[in-house]
Each structure stands twice: as C-alpha cells, then as structure tokens.
Amino acid sequence: MNRVLDLVAFIGAVVLGFVGFVGEVAIFTFNGLYRIFQPPYYPRLIGKAFMEIGYYSLPVVALTAVFTGMVLALQSYTGFSRFGAESAIASVVVLSVTRELGPVLAGLMVSGRAGAAMAAELGTMRVTDQIDALSTLSTDPMKYLVAPRLLAATIALPLLVALADILGVMGGYIVATEKLGFTSGTYLSATFTNLQAEDVISGLIKAAVFGFVIALMGCFHGYRSKGGAQGVGAATTTAVVSASILILALDYILTQVLFVK
C-alpha cells in the first residue's frame, strides 16, 4: 500500500511540476511579448542581439546548408536510380531544403550557438546579481535584456533560412551537375518548375517561430538560473535541449497546419 501511495505521490509531483513549469514559461512569454511593444525602445540592443544571433551564425548555417544539399542530392540519386526516377532529384532537393531541412537545421544550429550564449550570459548576470542591479536602477530587466533578444531572433532566423535555402539548393546543384551527370539547364529548370512560393514562405514562417523559441528558451533558463557557475552550466544545457525539442515538435505542428488541408 505504501508503495502505491509513493507512486501516486511521485506521479502527482511530476505532473504538478510540469504544470508549474508550463505556467512559468507562459507568463515569461507574455511578459516578453508585452515588453517588445512597450516603450522605451532600445534599438542599439536590438541591433547588437541581431548581430550576435544572425551575423555570427552565418558560417555554421551556411556550411550546414551547403553540405546538406550535397548529401541530399547524393542520397536521392542512390535511391531514385533503382526506379529510374533520377529526374526527381532536383524537386526533392529544393522542396526538402525549403520546407523542412533549411528551417530545422538552421534552427538547431542557432540554438546550439546563440541559444546557449544567451542562456550563459543571462545566467551569469543572474548569479552575479547584475539583473537585480538593473531593477535597482529602475531599468526593467525584461525590457532591457529579454525583449531585444526575442525580437532580434524572430527577425534574424528567417533571413538565415533564406540564405540556407539558396546555399542548400546550390549544394545539390553542384553535386548534380559535377558528379551525377545532370546538365545545368535541366537541373535548374526542374528546380524552378517544382518550386512554389508557398514552399519558401512556409519555411520562413517556421524560421520566425523557431527563432522566437530559441530566444525564449535561452532567456528563460538563463533568467531563472541559480547556484553559481554550476547553475549557469545547467541552464545553458537545458536551454539548448528544450529549444531543440520544441523546434522538432513545432516543426510537426506547423507542417500539419501549413500543408495538411
């Protein structure tokens, strides 16, 4: 009987903890969104966050996109050649990159780089009482630290994904024309014939949502970190893991909403 009660108590504690965590995230999200539209505004901080999230993530996103497009073309050729469907490689590459791989892989890369940096920075400020000092100086920490990062990430990631789409298709084009025997005109014609505006737009919508989630998780876990250097490390790890899981989960939900009629 005692074991049953212990099990029920454990399950109840887990459920209550999860509900409490969701509530904290929801309140934090609402406060962050509200502060974005509430004056005063900090364009310098938004620009700085945009550079850190967008510009400095360009190399890793670009390399990921190029090699993803190359590998996708090779793997598609390996599979499609068994059925004599090599002509579908161009459409598979462009649709896969613009709809799924561009937004998801760019989001995961930015989460590991910029999301971790945000969590570490805010976590360090929390454990060294710098956030409390901002409140003492009559500066809203949510407005000063969180809102610029949320806005910058939401804007920066679609731009990164647009570049990733171009580079991913280019990677597939290079492999197809240099290694797989496609002519340039044939491959490009098949690419543009099968590409529609909604394919690109849906990927950019996903990217904006992913960017917001990355900044939200980085700021949330950093903002509430505690326990010195060990707490900052734990907050950084949790921010990256939670953002990555949310990206994959939201990718399914957004795909369901955008493409399943």
Side-chain angles (χ1 to χ4, degrees):
M1 186 65 179
N2 290 333
R3 292 183 179 180
V4 175
L5 293 176
D6 290 341
L7 178 61
V8 172
F10 174 76
I11 295 174
V14 171
V15 172
L16 290 176
F18 177 76
V19 173
F21 174 77
V22 172
E24 290 182 16
V25 173
I27 294 172
F28 191 88
T29 304
F30 174 79
N31 289 332
L33 286 172
Y34 176 72
R35 298 302 195 284
I36 290 176
F37 303 101
Q38 181 188 38
Y41 304 105
Y42 300 102
R44 183 181 63 83
L45 294 177
I46 296 172
K48 179 182 177 183
F50 181 85
M51 291 292 290
E52 291 176 350
I53 297 169
Y55 180 75
Y56 295 128
S57 297
L58 275 174
V60 64
V61 172
L63 288 172
T64 301
V66 169
F67 286 112
T68 298
M70 290 180 171
V71 171
L72 187 59
L74 283 175
Q75 292 284 22
S76 299
Y77 182 82
T78 302
F80 290 171
S81 61
R82 300 176 184 177
F83 309 101
E86 295 91 339
S87 59
I89 291 176
S91 61
V92 168
V93 170
V94 69
L95 294 179
S96 298
V97 169
T98 55
R99 287 187 175 192
E100 292 295 326
L101 296 180
V104 172
L105 292 179
L108 293 176
M109 293 299 104
V110 173
S111 173
R113 202 204 69 81
M118 283 186 277
E121 183 178 0
L122 267 65
T124 302
M125 294 182 70
R126 169 61 72 186
V127 299
T128 56
D129 298 326
Q130 295 181 55
I131 294 179
D132 295 331
L134 286 174
S135 300
T136 304
L137 296 172
S138 300
T139 300
D140 185 356
M142 290 289 295
K143 178 68 182 177
Y144 191 82
L145 298 175
V146 177
R149 288 172 169 82
L150 292 176
L151 182 59
T154 305
I155 297 172
L157 203 62
L159 298 178
L160 286 173
V161 168
L163 177 64
D165 290 346
I166 296 171
L167 294 176
V169 174
M170 185 187 73
Y173 167 81
I174 292 173
V175 169
T177 55
E178 298 297 328
K179 187 175 180 61
L180 303 180
F182 284 79
T183 63
S184 177
T186 301
Y187 189 89
L188 292 177
S189 176
T191 297
F192 290 113
T193 299
N194 292 283
L195 180 64
Q196 299 180 1
E198 67 176 7
D199 300 322
V200 178
I201 294 172
S202 65
L204 297 181
I205 292 173
K206 289 183 178 182
V209 175
F210 295 164
F212 181 84
V213 167
I214 291 167
L216 179 66
M217 289 294 100
C219 293
F220 174 76
H221 290 289
Y223 195 87
R224 65 195 293 269
S225 65
K226 55 185 177 181
Q230 184 177 1
V232 174
T236 302
T237 303
T238 306
V240 174
V241 172
S242 58
S244 300
I245 293 173
L246 283 174
I247 285 172
L248 297 175
L250 287 171
D251 179 54
Y252 172 80
I253 295 172
L254 291 172
T255 300
Q256 181 78 20
V257 171
L258 293 171
F259 293 110
V260 178
K261 305 299 183 182

